[in-house]
Amino acid sequence: MKKGILIHSEISYAISKLGHGDDIVIADSGLPIPNKVQRIDLALAEGIPSFMQVLNVVLSEQRVEEVIIAQEVKERNPKVYEQLLETVCNYEKTEQIKLKITEVSHEVFKMETQKAKAIIRTGEYTPYANIILRSGVVF
């Protein structure tokens, strides 16, 4: 049996296939998912699992160099925005790196998801709880 935090086989496999600059998206339950992008659907019910739960587990496994979020999250979902900033700060300390944080309009964000290798759909029911994790390298 795999030892570690992330035991979901599809997510683990998707991360293992990432190269430098490849994207994985963690999405709330309402984000449209392009037909050509792998959908990993974890949504069970409202809030289960939450966006932040999934983000924290994925970050335990993936080396990230940039995060992309919608500008609207600041105003429309300040609680998630603050949690995102705290999570990014903790990730930087743990990994001893500096992440680039890019904010784009929600429309641009949705266009960017078309390039993702996979989109992980959560049970999150709050607006703009979405993030693109752009892969870095471990060396």
Side-chain angles (χ1 to χ4, degrees):
M1 181 174 198
K2 184 179 184 317
K3 181 182 175 188
I5 294 172
L6 178 60
I7 59 173
H8 191 282
S9 62
E10 285 180 84
I11 298 172
S12 186
Y13 182 64
I15 291 171
S16 74
K17 295 189 309 179
L18 294 174
H20 187 210
D22 287 342
D23 297 340
I24 281 189
V25 178
I26 301 174
D28 60 31
S29 59
L31 186 74
I33 298 175
N35 290 332
K36 295 181 180 181
V37 177
Q38 178 188 5
R39 172 195 289 251
I40 302 173
D41 199 336
L42 303 181
L44 298 175
E46 182 178 342
I48 303 171
S50 74
F51 169 76
M52 290 307 301
Q53 287 173 324
V54 175
L55 176 60
N56 284 312
V57 172
V58 169
L59 286 176
S60 75
E61 192 84 7
Q62 182 183 358
R63 174 57 67 99
V64 176
E65 68 179 17
E66 180 181 7
V67 298
I68 302 166
I69 58 175
Q71 297 163 337
E72 291 87 344
V73 71
K74 273 190 222 178
E75 187 176 311
R76 300 283 308 276
N77 198 344
K79 180 180 176 186
V80 164
Y81 182 71
E82 290 302 319
Q83 290 173 331
L84 277 172
L85 294 181
E86 182 179 340
T87 299
V88 165
C89 183
N90 290 337
Y91 182 81
E92 289 175 328
K93 287 178 187 172
T94 301
E95 298 294 319
Q96 299 180 355
I97 61 170
K98 180 69 177 155
L99 285 181
K100 180 179 180 185
I101 302 172
T102 302
E103 296 182 11
V104 298
S105 72
H106 188 58
E107 290 306 312
V108 169
F109 184 93
K110 289 189 291 188
M111 289 188 317
E112 286 292 312
T113 65
Q114 295 177 34
K115 298 185 284 185
K117 298 296 182 181
I119 297 179
I120 303 166
R121 181 175 174 253
T122 70
E124 187 69 41
Y125 266 41
T126 63
Y128 305 103
N130 306 294
I131 192 166
I132 298 171
L133 303 174
R134 183 150 295 151
S135 287
V137 292
V138 296
F139 54 87

